[in-house]
Amino acid sequence: CKKGKWPLSSPVLRREKFFIFVFSGSCLAFVYGMVCLYVCMQIFSTVGSQKSKEVCLSYIQDAMLRKQWKRAAEFLTFYIESLEKDFSTEYMGPSEVIWRIGAEILCHRFHNNMKEFSSFIEQMKTLGVKRYLKVSVCLEHAFHLLCNGQIDEAYQNLSLAESWRFGEQTAIQDKEMKLIQAYRGLLDYYSWSKQKNILLEHDLSVEQEMHGCFRKAAMNLKEIIKIPGVWDLFVKCYVDLLEFYGDYSEAREVLNEYAYNSKFPANPNAHVYLYQFLKRHGESKKSLLSALKILHDIVPSHELMIDFHIMLQKSKKRKKRRLGLEVIFAVLDYAGWKENVKAWSCLARQVKQIKHLDWIKQEWDPRRDWWPAFHFSRYSAKRNWQENESLSYEKALVAGILLGKGCKAQVKRFRILKKFLNKHNPVYLRLSGLSDSSVQP
Amino acid sequence: SLPAGSWVPSVTPQDILYRGILRRKPGRPAGDSCTSQPLPVLPTQLSHFFVDHPEDAFGSLGKLLHQNFYLGDSKLRVSVHSGLPPCSGCPRKNLVPRLRWFSHLARDWLFEVPLGLLADCVHEDLLLQWASLLFDDSPTGGALAWLPPKDVGARTGRLVYPGGQAMNHLCILPHGVALRRGGGGREGVPWVAGTSWDTAVSRVALCPLPDFVGVRSDYHCGVWRVPGRTGAAPTPLQVIRTSVPASCLTVSPHLPGELAVCTQSGAVYLWSVETGLQRLRHDPQTMFFRDHSPWRWSDFTAHPRVLSCADRTGLQCLDTRVSPGGCHFDLFKVGEEAGCQQGERVVLPMYLGRAYPSQHLVTTQFSVYVLDERLPLVPVLKWAHMMKAPPLFAHLTPGGPGRSHKVLLGASRTQELLLLQYRGEKRGALGVLWGRVSSVPTSQPPCCRDRLPPPPLGLGSEEEEEEEEQTFYLSNLEVIIDEEEEDGGTPVVPEEAECPQEPSANPQPSPAAALRYRRWLKAFSKVCGQPPRHTRPPTFGQKRLFTRKELEEPSAPSALQGQARRWLRQAMRDGGCLQRWDPPPSALPEPPEPAEDPDPLSARLTASWCGDWDGWWEGRMSSSLAQRQRALRERRRRQKRARGRRSLSASFTSSLTYQSELSELSDPDTAPPPRREASPPLGTSPPAAATPPSPEEALLSSQSLRSRGIPKERRKTLRDYLAVWADGPPEPPELPGSQASQLCIPSSQSQLSSASQPRRKRPRMGF
C-alpha cells in the first residue's frame, strides 16, 4: 500500500490493509494453484491421458444424455484434439467412438444436413484409417445417402472407397473390398432393374445401358458369392439377373452351391431360395420335396413346412404321409406356431382321418407330458376363445381327440365347443380304444 | 440381526490393495480377472483376522494359558475393529476379557492355525474377493421382476424383489399410488414371504403369464406361485438345495412350473415342479475353449423341450427329449464367425421370445448380439454398446406390430443404463432384422445420477399402453422407480431452447434425490435428537482447496475493498502488476556478505583457491598455537581441581582401554601418537612440519592404530616416523608432572568426553 494514501496509524485502516493483504495472499495462492494445476495437467496429459480422455468421454455422454448437442460437439472437438497427441493401439479405437458420437450429434444438431455430414466424413477419413472404420464409415455413409435418396452420391462414394488403399493388402482388406464392391454391384442391380422396367414398357433404347449395368453388377456380385458367408441379398439379386437373361443353369448352380457347400454356414434361406427357384421353373415334385426335406431337417418350424405337409399328404406313398404327420406335429411344437390357425386345422384334419391312428399315437406319446400344459391349458383356452374362435374350434377338436375326457376341463365353459366336441367324440373313443388294446397285450 | 437402516458395506478396492486403485486393463474381459494380479495387504488382512477371530486363532491355547499369566490390574482397553456393532448372539461378547487381552498380547507368537496355512487361506479369499470386485457375476439377470397385471389395463401389477436387511426375504409389492411418485415411497407394506433364505437372494425370475416366480440364492432355488388376486398370499411350491452354488435360474415362458437351473460345477438341470430334476448336462469344462469361469447359464428356446445352455465361451442348445449330451447344436460361439474381439466373453444371454419366437440376445462386455436359432452361429445383429461395465441386466419390452422392440440393458457396478430399440421385418424367408439399432439416450435414474453406494441388483420395466415406460431399479436399500419419457425413434429436440448455452457448473440435485435426502435427514435428526440447524446441506468433501470460511463472501465490501478490486482488475487488464504491493526496489539480489569469522575449512579453501595456502597455514599455526596452549592450561587446572575431590577408589576402576593405555605407557619407548594424518590436506606437501590441530588427531592414537590391525612393534615405528614429521614447538612447561596422575582418572565415559582429550594429547611430541 502506498503509505501516503492510507495512514497506517488508523486501526480501521490497518485492519483493511490486513484484509487486503489476506486478499492478495489468496490471490497469490490462487495464481500459484493455477500454475500447479497447469503443471499437473501437463503431467497428466502425458501420464494420464487415458484418464483425461475417459473424463472427456463421460462429459460427452452426459451432454448427449441431456440432449445438449452443442456442448457435446465442443467436448468432442476437445476429445479429438487430445487424441492427436496420442496413438492408441486398442482394437476398439477411439475413431469408432468419434464416428458414432459425431454421427449422432450431427444427426440431431443439424437435422441430417447432408453437407455437414459429408464434411465430417471427410474429416473422419483423414483422422483414422483403421480396419473397422473403413467398412463402417464408408458403408454407413453410403446407407445414409441412400436413405436420403442420393443414390448417385452413394454410388460415387462406394467407388471412391474402392480406390482407398492403405498399408499392405491383407486378406481381410481384400474381403472388405469385395464387400464394398458387392454393395456397389447392388446399386448397379438397382439401376438395372429400373431400366428393366423401362424396357418392359417397350422402350428399347435403354438396352445397351442396361446391359452395361448388368455386366458390372454381375461381376461384383459373383465375386462376393464365392466367399463363404451369408449373402442372401446378393444371391437373390444375382439369380434374378441370371434368370432374366435366361441363364438358368448358372443360376441353379449358384443356388446349389449356396445351399449345399459345406463351407457356407447352414443357412435355411439358401434352401428356401433353391426351393422357390425350383418351383418357379416347374421342377418335379420329387426335387421340390427333397429341397423341403432338407429345410425341415434344419428348421422344422419354417413357414414352408405347411406347404411341405400339404404336398406330403397329397402323396400316395405311406412313408411320405407319415412324414407329413411328423412335420405338422413338429411345427406345432414351436412357440411361434402356437396360435396359427392353419397349422391347427392341418393337424385337425389329419387327426380326423381315422386312417393311421398308430402313427398319431406314436407322435403323441412323446408329447403327452407337455403338450397339454403347452397348448391345452385353461388359460390358453380362454384366451384363444376370446381372440380367435376358429382357432379354438381346431384346437378343441385336436384336444378332444388326443386328450379325451381330460380336455373337457378345458372346454367346460364353452357350450358350443362342447357340442362340437361331442360330435367328434367317436374318434377319441377309437383312439383310446387303440391305445388300451395296445397296452393290454 | 443388524440395526435398522444399515447394511453390510461391500468390499472396496481400498480394503484389498495397497494403493486402493481398481485397475482394469481396457481390453481384458470382465470375467478374466485372475490375469491382473492384485497386490493384497496380507499382513493387514492377517492382523484383521487375529483381531476379528481371536478365538479361532488362539482360543484354546489361550484358555489354557491365560490363567497362569499376570496381566496387570488395570482394566482392559482394547479397541476391537469391527464393521458390525456389538449385538446379541455375537460370539465375541461371551469371550472372557482376560482371554481377549491375552490374545492381543500373544497373537504374534501364539496361534493355533499355522501361519503359512492361514496366510494361504487369506490370500485365496482375497483373490476371490478381488475377482468379485472386478466383476461380480452373481447378480446376473437381476433380482427384480415385474408381474404384469392379468387383465390389460388393470393396475394390479406387482413388483417382486428381495427385501430385508440381508436381502433374504421375498417381497411382493402391489402396484399402488404411493409407489408411483417420489421414487421409493414404501407406504404399501410389502408382503414378506414366510421363508427367509440363508443367503441373499441374487435372482428373481418369473414367467409372466401363469405367475410362477423362481428365486435363487447361492445354495437354494425355489418356486412360488403368485395368485392373480391382489393381497392373496403366494404359495411356495418347491425348494431345492444345491451342493455347489447355483448360477442360474430361469422360468420357462412356455410351460408353467418348469425351470432351468445351472450350478457352478457345470451341471444343467431342467426342473419341473411335478416331475423333479432332470440333468441335461454335466461338464465342468467350458464348451468351446478353456475359460476359468464356473459361471453357467441356461434359458429356454422357441421349442419348449430345447434349452439353451451358456458359459463364457458361447451358447449351445440341448434337447431334453434325448439322453444327456445326445443332441445339441451350437447357437453362438465366441470367435471369428461372430466377429468377436480378443477376450470377449458372454455375459448375459436372454431369450427374446416375446419379440420374436426364435431370437436370443447375447451380451458381452463389448457388444450386443441378436441371434436367430434357425440360423445359428451367425449373429443377425451386432451392436457395440460401449458401456463401461458389462451389462448384467436386460429387459425386453416387445413392441407391437409396426413398433420397434426395446431392450433395456443395465450394468451393476457403474450403474449405467442403455435403451436399445430394434425392429425386424418379416420379408422373404426369415424375419430379417433391420440394421437400424439406435441407442435412445435414456434419462439416468436417480440412483445413477446421485451415485448411491450400493450397486443396483436388478432391473425391471413395465410397459403400458401409451409411450410411457416405468423403470424399476433395485438397489440394496430400496426400490427406485423412475418414470421416463421415451419417444420412439430419433428424438428431435429444439436443442438451443432447451439446453443452456454453457454447461451449468452446479447441477441441481434431482427432486427424487432431494426427497430422499430430506427423508434421510429427518431420520438422522430423529436419531441424533436435535433438529437440523443448517438450511444448507452439509457437504462432506475430502478434496477441497479452500475451507468454507475462506470461500465465504464478506458481508459487504467496503469502499477500500472495491478500490482494491478495481486496481486488481485494471492491472489484470493491462497485463501489468500492481505497484502497491511491490517488494522494495532491489533489482538484483546482492551477493551474500562475507561472514565476519568464516569457519576454518572455508578459509582454507579460499586461501588455497587463491594460491595462498602457505601463508594461511603459517598464520593459522601461529594463532592456533597460542589458543591451544591457553586452552590446555585451563583444562589442566580444572582437572587438578577435580582430582582433588575424587575418591581414590575411583582410580582403580579400570577398563580395558585403561589397561591397554597402561601397558602402552609402561613401554618406555612409547612414542607420542602423531597429531595428524600422514599427508597434508589438498595433497600439497606442507612446508611446515607441524600438523594442524584438527579434531581427528586422535585417529592415530594407540587405540585406533591397534584397531586398524597394526602390530605393536610397527606402531612404534610409525609413531617415530610421525614424530620426525611433527617436529613441532616445545612442550608446555608443566606437562610431565601431572602425567601419571592424569592417567589415574579413567572411566568408561571419559574416553568420549572432552576430558579424554588432554590425556590423548599428552604423549604427543612437539608441544
PDB file of all heavy atoms in Angstrom, chain B residues 664 671-679 696-706 708 710 715 718-719 722 760:
ATOM      1  N   GLU B 664      50.712 -49.519  27.345  1.00  0.00           N
ATOM      2  CA  GLU B 664      51.451 -48.698  26.401  1.00  0.00           C
ATOM      3  C   GLU B 664      52.374 -47.723  27.109  1.00  0.00           C
ATOM      4  O   GLU B 664      53.517 -47.494  26.714  1.00  0.00           O
ATOM      5  CB  GLU B 664      50.474 -47.908  25.523  1.00  0.00           C
ATOM      6  CG  GLU B 664      50.140 -48.669  24.263  1.00  0.00           C
ATOM      7  CD  GLU B 664      49.068 -47.965  23.494  1.00  0.00           C
ATOM      8  OE1 GLU B 664      48.992 -46.716  23.564  1.00  0.00           O
ATOM      9  OE2 GLU B 664      48.287 -48.662  22.817  1.00  0.00           O
ATOM     10  N   ALA B 671      56.346 -43.836  21.794  1.00  0.00           N
ATOM     11  CA  ALA B 671      56.431 -42.566  21.071  1.00  0.00           C
ATOM     12  C   ALA B 671      55.068 -41.891  21.153  1.00  0.00           C
ATOM     13  O   ALA B 671      54.046 -42.565  21.265  1.00  0.00           O
ATOM     14  CB  ALA B 671      56.773 -42.852  19.614  1.00  0.00           C
ATOM     15  N   PRO B 672      55.097 -40.618  21.143  1.00  0.00           N
ATOM     16  CA  PRO B 672      53.805 -39.928  21.150  1.00  0.00           C
ATOM     17  C   PRO B 672      53.055 -40.181  19.842  1.00  0.00           C
ATOM     18  O   PRO B 672      53.674 -40.354  18.786  1.00  0.00           O
ATOM     19  CB  PRO B 672      54.201 -38.459  21.292  1.00  0.00           C
ATOM     20  CG  PRO B 672      55.579 -38.374  20.743  1.00  0.00           C
ATOM     21  CD  PRO B 672      56.220 -39.697  21.055  1.00  0.00           C
ATOM     22  N   PRO B 673      51.775 -40.303  19.953  1.00  0.00           N
ATOM     23  CA  PRO B 673      50.997 -40.538  18.724  1.00  0.00           C
ATOM     24  C   PRO B 673      51.074 -39.345  17.793  1.00  0.00           C
ATOM     25  O   PRO B 673      51.286 -38.218  18.271  1.00  0.00           O
ATOM     26  CB  PRO B 673      49.571 -40.751  19.236  1.00  0.00           C
ATOM     27  CG  PRO B 673      49.539 -40.076  20.544  1.00  0.00           C
ATOM     28  CD  PRO B 673      50.923 -40.150  21.111  1.00  0.00           C
ATOM     29  N   PRO B 674      50.964 -39.577  16.551  1.00  0.00           N
ATOM     30  CA  PRO B 674      51.040 -38.455  15.612  1.00  0.00           C
ATOM     31  C   PRO B 674      49.846 -37.543  15.754  1.00  0.00           C
ATOM     32  O   PRO B 674      48.779 -37.961  16.185  1.00  0.00           O
ATOM     33  CB  PRO B 674      51.070 -39.143  14.262  1.00  0.00           C
ATOM     34  CG  PRO B 674      50.407 -40.440  14.478  1.00  0.00           C
ATOM     35  CD  PRO B 674      50.709 -40.831  15.882  1.00  0.00           C
ATOM     36  N   ARG B 675      50.027 -36.374  15.382  1.00  0.00           N
ATOM     37  CA  ARG B 675      48.979 -35.388  15.598  1.00  0.00           C
ATOM     38  C   ARG B 675      47.988 -35.363  14.441  1.00  0.00           C
ATOM     39  O   ARG B 675      46.881 -34.928  14.578  1.00  0.00           O
ATOM     40  CB  ARG B 675      49.588 -34.007  15.774  1.00  0.00           C
ATOM     41  CG  ARG B 675      50.466 -33.927  17.001  1.00  0.00           C
ATOM     42  CD  ARG B 675      50.993 -32.549  17.111  1.00  0.00           C
ATOM     43  NE  ARG B 675      49.938 -31.588  17.193  1.00  0.00           N
ATOM     44  CZ  ARG B 675      50.082 -30.327  16.791  1.00  0.00           C
ATOM     45  NH1 ARG B 675      51.226 -29.927  16.294  1.00  0.00           N
ATOM     46  NH2 ARG B 675      49.090 -29.485  16.889  1.00  0.00           N
ATOM     47  N   ARG B 676      48.499 -35.817  13.304  1.00  0.00           N
ATOM     48  CA  ARG B 676      47.595 -35.669  12.171  1.00  0.00           C
ATOM     49  C   ARG B 676      47.853 -36.766  11.166  1.00  0.00           C
ATOM     50  O   ARG B 676      48.749 -37.586  11.329  1.00  0.00           O
ATOM     51  CB  ARG B 676      47.797 -34.299  11.527  1.00  0.00           C
ATOM     52  CG  ARG B 676      49.274 -33.997  11.339  1.00  0.00           C
ATOM     53  CD  ARG B 676      49.415 -32.662  10.689  1.00  0.00           C
ATOM     54  NE  ARG B 676      48.939 -32.757   9.319  1.00  0.00           N
ATOM     55  CZ  ARG B 676      49.738 -33.113   8.315  1.00  0.00           C
ATOM     56  NH1 ARG B 676      50.990 -33.357   8.533  1.00  0.00           N
ATOM     57  NH2 ARG B 676      49.278 -33.176   7.103  1.00  0.00           N
ATOM     58  N   GLU B 677      47.165 -36.810  10.220  1.00  0.00           N
ATOM     59  CA  GLU B 677      47.295 -37.859   9.221  1.00  0.00           C
ATOM     60  C   GLU B 677      48.582 -37.656   8.444  1.00  0.00           C
ATOM     61  O   GLU B 677      49.179 -36.579   8.437  1.00  0.00           O
ATOM     62  CB  GLU B 677      46.109 -37.826   8.257  1.00  0.00           C
ATOM     63  CG  GLU B 677      44.788 -38.091   8.958  1.00  0.00           C
ATOM     64  CD  GLU B 677      43.919 -39.033   8.196  1.00  0.00           C
ATOM     65  OE1 GLU B 677      44.119 -39.139   6.982  1.00  0.00           O
ATOM     66  OE2 GLU B 677      43.059 -39.660   8.791  1.00  0.00           O
ATOM     67  N   ALA B 678      48.945 -38.727   7.800  1.00  0.00           N
ATOM     68  CA  ALA B 678      50.266 -38.738   7.205  1.00  0.00           C
ATOM     69  C   ALA B 678      50.454 -37.680   6.127  1.00  0.00           C
ATOM     70  O   ALA B 678      51.528 -37.152   5.961  1.00  0.00           O
ATOM     71  CB  ALA B 678      50.529 -40.111   6.620  1.00  0.00           C
ATOM     72  N   SER B 679      49.432 -37.441   5.382  1.00  0.00           N
ATOM     73  CA  SER B 679      49.598 -36.457   4.313  1.00  0.00           C
ATOM     74  C   SER B 679      48.781 -35.220   4.614  1.00  0.00           C
ATOM     75  O   SER B 679      47.707 -35.313   5.191  1.00  0.00           O
ATOM     76  CB  SER B 679      49.171 -37.058   2.988  1.00  0.00           C
ATOM     77  OG  SER B 679      47.770 -37.291   3.021  1.00  0.00           O
ATOM     78  N   GLU B 696      40.474 -34.620  14.359  1.00  0.00           N
ATOM     79  CA  GLU B 696      40.716 -36.030  14.047  1.00  0.00           C
ATOM     80  C   GLU B 696      42.074 -36.477  14.542  1.00  0.00           C
ATOM     81  O   GLU B 696      42.571 -37.523  14.141  1.00  0.00           O
ATOM     82  CB  GLU B 696      40.652 -36.263  12.534  1.00  0.00           C
ATOM     83  CG  GLU B 696      39.315 -35.966  11.890  1.00  0.00           C
ATOM     84  CD  GLU B 696      39.238 -34.532  11.415  1.00  0.00           C
ATOM     85  OE1 GLU B 696      40.283 -33.872  11.360  1.00  0.00           O
ATOM     86  OE2 GLU B 696      38.123 -34.068  11.118  1.00  0.00           O
ATOM     87  N   GLU B 697      42.666 -35.704  15.369  1.00  0.00           N
ATOM     88  CA  GLU B 697      44.046 -36.022  15.728  1.00  0.00           C
ATOM     89  C   GLU B 697      44.158 -37.321  16.519  1.00  0.00           C
ATOM     90  O   GLU B 697      45.213 -37.936  16.550  1.00  0.00           O
ATOM     91  CB  GLU B 697      44.635 -34.894  16.550  1.00  0.00           C
ATOM     92  CG  GLU B 697      43.844 -34.644  17.824  1.00  0.00           C
ATOM     93  CD  GLU B 697      44.068 -33.239  18.333  1.00  0.00           C
ATOM     94  OE1 GLU B 697      44.806 -32.501  17.670  1.00  0.00           O
ATOM     95  OE2 GLU B 697      43.516 -32.888  19.366  1.00  0.00           O
ATOM     96  N   ALA B 698      43.093 -37.699  17.166  1.00  0.00           N
ATOM     97  CA  ALA B 698      43.159 -38.930  17.938  1.00  0.00           C
ATOM     98  C   ALA B 698      43.164 -40.168  17.067  1.00  0.00           C
ATOM     99  O   ALA B 698      43.207 -41.286  17.556  1.00  0.00           O
ATOM    100  CB  ALA B 698      41.968 -39.004  18.903  1.00  0.00           C
ATOM    101  N   LEU B 699      43.082 -39.959  15.806  1.00  0.00           N
ATOM    102  CA  LEU B 699      42.976 -41.090  14.894  1.00  0.00           C
ATOM    103  C   LEU B 699      44.153 -42.049  15.011  1.00  0.00           C
ATOM    104  O   LEU B 699      43.998 -43.261  14.931  1.00  0.00           O
ATOM    105  CB  LEU B 699      42.894 -40.581  13.462  1.00  0.00           C
ATOM    106  CG  LEU B 699      41.484 -40.372  12.925  1.00  0.00           C
ATOM    107  CD1 LEU B 699      41.557 -39.810  11.524  1.00  0.00           C
ATOM    108  CD2 LEU B 699      40.712 -41.676  12.929  1.00  0.00           C
ATOM    109  N   LEU B 700      45.312 -41.469  15.163  1.00  0.00           N
ATOM    110  CA  LEU B 700      46.493 -42.325  15.206  1.00  0.00           C
ATOM    111  C   LEU B 700      46.943 -42.631  16.613  1.00  0.00           C
ATOM    112  O   LEU B 700      48.092 -42.964  16.852  1.00  0.00           O
ATOM    113  CB  LEU B 700      47.621 -41.687  14.410  1.00  0.00           C
ATOM    114  CG  LEU B 700      47.367 -41.672  12.904  1.00  0.00           C
ATOM    115  CD1 LEU B 700      48.600 -41.193  12.187  1.00  0.00           C
ATOM    116  CD2 LEU B 700      46.982 -43.049  12.422  1.00  0.00           C
ATOM    117  N   SER B 701      46.050 -42.512  17.529  1.00  0.00           N
ATOM    118  CA  SER B 701      46.404 -42.919  18.884  1.00  0.00           C
ATOM    119  C   SER B 701      46.608 -44.421  18.895  1.00  0.00           C
ATOM    120  O   SER B 701      46.229 -45.123  17.952  1.00  0.00           O
ATOM    121  CB  SER B 701      45.275 -42.529  19.847  1.00  0.00           C
ATOM    122  OG  SER B 701      44.151 -43.321  19.541  1.00  0.00           O
ATOM    123  N   SER B 702      47.177 -44.883  19.950  1.00  0.00           N
ATOM    124  CA  SER B 702      47.500 -46.312  20.012  1.00  0.00           C
ATOM    125  C   SER B 702      46.261 -47.164  19.839  1.00  0.00           C
ATOM    126  O   SER B 702      46.285 -48.224  19.203  1.00  0.00           O
ATOM    127  CB  SER B 702      48.152 -46.620  21.354  1.00  0.00           C
ATOM    128  OG  SER B 702      47.214 -46.313  22.375  1.00  0.00           O
ATOM    129  N   GLN B 703      45.187 -46.616  20.382  1.00  0.00           N
ATOM    130  CA  GLN B 703      43.941 -47.388  20.304  1.00  0.00           C
ATOM    131  C   GLN B 703      43.504 -47.572  18.867  1.00  0.00           C
ATOM    132  O   GLN B 703      43.205 -48.676  18.413  1.00  0.00           O
ATOM    133  CB  GLN B 703      42.876 -46.625  21.077  1.00  0.00           C
ATOM    134  CG  GLN B 703      41.794 -47.522  21.582  1.00  0.00           C
ATOM    135  CD  GLN B 703      40.746 -46.691  22.255  1.00  0.00           C
ATOM    136  OE1 GLN B 703      40.959 -45.487  22.500  1.00  0.00           O
ATOM    137  NE2 GLN B 703      39.648 -47.324  22.589  1.00  0.00           N
ATOM    138  N   SER B 704      43.467 -46.499  18.158  1.00  0.00           N
ATOM    139  CA  SER B 704      42.976 -46.593  16.786  1.00  0.00           C
ATOM    140  C   SER B 704      43.958 -47.348  15.907  1.00  0.00           C
ATOM    141  O   SER B 704      43.569 -48.057  14.997  1.00  0.00           O
ATOM    142  CB  SER B 704      42.720 -45.202  16.213  1.00  0.00           C
ATOM    143  OG  SER B 704      43.954 -44.541  16.085  1.00  0.00           O
ATOM    144  N   LEU B 705      45.232 -47.209  16.232  1.00  0.00           N
ATOM    145  CA  LEU B 705      46.205 -47.977  15.459  1.00  0.00           C
ATOM    146  C   LEU B 705      46.010 -49.468  15.663  1.00  0.00           C
ATOM    147  O   LEU B 705      46.063 -50.259  14.730  1.00  0.00           O
ATOM    148  CB  LEU B 705      47.614 -47.591  15.889  1.00  0.00           C
ATOM    149  CG  LEU B 705      48.125 -46.270  15.311  1.00  0.00           C
ATOM    150  CD1 LEU B 705      49.495 -45.969  15.878  1.00  0.00           C
ATOM    151  CD2 LEU B 705      48.172 -46.323  13.814  1.00  0.00           C
ATOM    152  N   ARG B 706      45.725 -49.794  16.915  1.00  0.00           N
ATOM    153  CA  ARG B 706      45.526 -51.201  17.193  1.00  0.00           C
ATOM    154  C   ARG B 706      44.257 -51.709  16.520  1.00  0.00           C
ATOM    155  O   ARG B 706      44.205 -52.807  15.987  1.00  0.00           O
ATOM    156  CB  ARG B 706      45.444 -51.406  18.699  1.00  0.00           C
ATOM    157  CG  ARG B 706      45.611 -52.862  19.079  1.00  0.00           C
ATOM    158  CD  ARG B 706      45.463 -53.018  20.557  1.00  0.00           C
ATOM    159  NE  ARG B 706      44.197 -52.491  20.997  1.00  0.00           N
ATOM    160  CZ  ARG B 706      44.034 -51.823  22.136  1.00  0.00           C
ATOM    161  NH1 ARG B 706      45.064 -51.581  22.917  1.00  0.00           N
ATOM    162  NH2 ARG B 706      42.856 -51.383  22.496  1.00  0.00           N
ATOM    163  N   ARG B 708      43.185 -50.747  13.878  1.00  0.00           N
ATOM    164  CA  ARG B 708      43.420 -50.937  12.439  1.00  0.00           C
ATOM    165  C   ARG B 708      44.301 -52.141  12.143  1.00  0.00           C
ATOM    166  O   ARG B 708      44.639 -52.379  10.994  1.00  0.00           O
ATOM    167  CB  ARG B 708      44.084 -49.711  11.853  1.00  0.00           C
ATOM    168  CG  ARG B 708      43.125 -48.538  11.759  1.00  0.00           C
ATOM    169  CD  ARG B 708      43.799 -47.352  11.205  1.00  0.00           C
ATOM    170  NE  ARG B 708      42.920 -46.220  11.358  1.00  0.00           N
ATOM    171  CZ  ARG B 708      43.063 -45.098  10.675  1.00  0.00           C
ATOM    172  NH1 ARG B 708      44.062 -44.985   9.824  1.00  0.00           N
ATOM    173  NH2 ARG B 708      42.238 -44.099  10.869  1.00  0.00           N
ATOM    174  N   ILE B 710      47.384 -52.733  13.245  1.00  0.00           N
ATOM    175  CA  ILE B 710      48.822 -52.511  13.123  1.00  0.00           C
ATOM    176  C   ILE B 710      49.500 -53.079  14.369  1.00  0.00           C
ATOM    177  O   ILE B 710      49.111 -52.749  15.487  1.00  0.00           O
ATOM    178  CB  ILE B 710      49.131 -51.013  13.011  1.00  0.00           C
ATOM    179  CG1 ILE B 710      48.409 -50.493  11.748  1.00  0.00           C
ATOM    180  CG2 ILE B 710      50.621 -50.744  12.921  1.00  0.00           C
ATOM    181  CD1 ILE B 710      48.425 -49.003  11.634  1.00  0.00           C
ATOM    182  N   ARG B 715      53.714 -50.091  15.384  1.00  0.00           N
ATOM    183  CA  ARG B 715      53.083 -48.884  15.903  1.00  0.00           C
ATOM    184  C   ARG B 715      54.146 -47.895  16.351  1.00  0.00           C
ATOM    185  O   ARG B 715      54.054 -46.708  16.121  1.00  0.00           O
ATOM    186  CB  ARG B 715      52.195 -49.256  17.097  1.00  0.00           C
ATOM    187  CG  ARG B 715      50.711 -49.154  16.784  1.00  0.00           C
ATOM    188  CD  ARG B 715      49.929 -49.525  18.008  1.00  0.00           C
ATOM    189  NE  ARG B 715      49.428 -50.900  17.910  1.00  0.00           N
ATOM    190  CZ  ARG B 715      49.015 -51.601  18.961  1.00  0.00           C
ATOM    191  NH1 ARG B 715      49.058 -51.073  20.167  1.00  0.00           N
ATOM    192  NH2 ARG B 715      48.581 -52.816  18.799  1.00  0.00           N
ATOM    193  N   LEU B 718      55.886 -46.354  13.453  1.00  0.00           N
ATOM    194  CA  LEU B 718      55.019 -45.344  12.850  1.00  0.00           C
ATOM    195  C   LEU B 718      55.048 -44.068  13.640  1.00  0.00           C
ATOM    196  O   LEU B 718      55.142 -42.957  13.102  1.00  0.00           O
ATOM    197  CB  LEU B 718      53.603 -45.908  12.786  1.00  0.00           C
ATOM    198  CG  LEU B 718      52.606 -45.107  11.975  1.00  0.00           C
ATOM    199  CD1 LEU B 718      53.040 -45.091  10.522  1.00  0.00           C
ATOM    200  CD2 LEU B 718      51.224 -45.698  12.115  1.00  0.00           C
ATOM    201  N   ARG B 719      55.020 -44.277  14.945  1.00  0.00           N
ATOM    202  CA  ARG B 719      54.990 -43.088  15.791  1.00  0.00           C
ATOM    203  C   ARG B 719      56.295 -42.328  15.679  1.00  0.00           C
ATOM    204  O   ARG B 719      56.318 -41.103  15.651  1.00  0.00           O
ATOM    205  CB  ARG B 719      54.721 -43.502  17.245  1.00  0.00           C
ATOM    206  CG  ARG B 719      53.253 -43.750  17.446  1.00  0.00           C
ATOM    207  CD  ARG B 719      52.911 -43.783  18.914  1.00  0.00           C
ATOM    208  NE  ARG B 719      51.636 -44.461  19.085  1.00  0.00           N
ATOM    209  CZ  ARG B 719      51.498 -45.676  19.587  1.00  0.00           C
ATOM    210  NH1 ARG B 719      52.561 -46.327  20.024  1.00  0.00           N
ATOM    211  NH2 ARG B 719      50.315 -46.224  19.712  1.00  0.00           N
ATOM    212  N   LEU B 722      56.301 -40.520  12.534  1.00  0.00           N
ATOM    213  CA  LEU B 722      55.438 -39.353  12.579  1.00  0.00           C
ATOM    214  C   LEU B 722      56.006 -38.277  13.483  1.00  0.00           C
ATOM    215  O   LEU B 722      55.762 -37.091  13.293  1.00  0.00           O
ATOM    216  CB  LEU B 722      54.040 -39.754  13.044  1.00  0.00           C
ATOM    217  CG  LEU B 722      53.265 -40.531  11.974  1.00  0.00           C
ATOM    218  CD1 LEU B 722      52.011 -41.117  12.589  1.00  0.00           C
ATOM    219  CD2 LEU B 722      52.922 -39.619  10.817  1.00  0.00           C
ATOM    220  N   ARG B 760      44.897 -37.883  25.740  1.00  0.00           N
ATOM    221  CA  ARG B 760      45.412 -38.420  24.496  1.00  0.00           C
ATOM    222  C   ARG B 760      46.507 -37.510  23.923  1.00  0.00           C
ATOM    223  O   ARG B 760      47.400 -37.969  23.242  1.00  0.00           O
ATOM    224  CB  ARG B 760      44.274 -38.536  23.491  1.00  0.00           C
ATOM    225  CG  ARG B 760      43.395 -39.680  23.862  1.00  0.00           C
ATOM    226  CD  ARG B 760      43.057 -40.460  22.658  1.00  0.00           C
ATOM    227  NE  ARG B 760      41.936 -41.314  23.007  1.00  0.00           N
ATOM    228  CZ  ARG B 760      40.706 -41.031  22.643  1.00  0.00           C
ATOM    229  NH1 ARG B 760      40.466 -39.956  21.920  1.00  0.00           N
ATOM    230  NH2 ARG B 760      39.741 -41.829  22.999  1.00  0.00           N
TER     231      ARG B 760
END
